[in-house]
Amino acid sequence: SGVCSRSISFDITTDGVVHGVSFEGGCNGNAQGLSKLVEGQAAEEVITRLAGIKCGGKQTSCPDQLSLALRQHIHSH
């Protein structure tokens, strides 16, 4: 929401590790880089590092939206 990408897909293992992050739309290079950087990282660590990042004049960013999606997933399971 509020960013160029239309959706984010990911998996979280039972021990809380992030895998397979992919963005639909947005800046392809940045999305690929972000996906590779968080691969194999603990979801809680990814949330801590990415939450609150802004993009230009926007109040959010793709990294921030990923942190929100991860948090929502964790709290719903």
Side-chain angles (χ1 to χ4, degrees), residues 1 8 10 46-47 50-52 59-75:
S1 175
I8 306 170
F10 57 86
V46 173
I47 293 167
L50 300 182
Q59 293 300 306
T60 189
S61 65
C62 290
D64 184 49
Q65 289 297 301
L66 175 58
S67 75
L68 293 171
L70 290 170
R71 181 174 292 140
Q72 181 180 18
H73 177 82
I74 288 170
H75 292 297

Side-chain angles (χ1 to χ4, degrees), residues 7-76:
S7 69
I8 306 170
S9 300
F10 57 86
D11 291 312
I12 299 178
T13 61
T14 57
D15 59 344
V17 176
V18 177
H19 292 286
V21 175
S22 65
F23 291 82
E24 181 183 339
C27 178
N28 189 42
N30 286 339
Q32 286 184 54
L34 179 58
S35 298
K36 289 184 181 279
L37 287 171
V38 302
E39 179 69 25
Q41 300 295 311
E44 292 291 349
E45 181 66 23
V46 173
I47 293 167
T48 299
R49 290 178 182 225
L50 300 182
I53 293 175
K54 297 178 182 179
C55 182
K58 299 176 184 176
Q59 293 300 306
T60 189
S61 65
C62 290
D64 184 49
Q65 289 297 301
L66 175 58
S67 75
L68 293 171
L70 290 170
R71 181 174 292 140
Q72 181 180 18
H73 177 82
I74 288 170
H75 292 297
S76 69

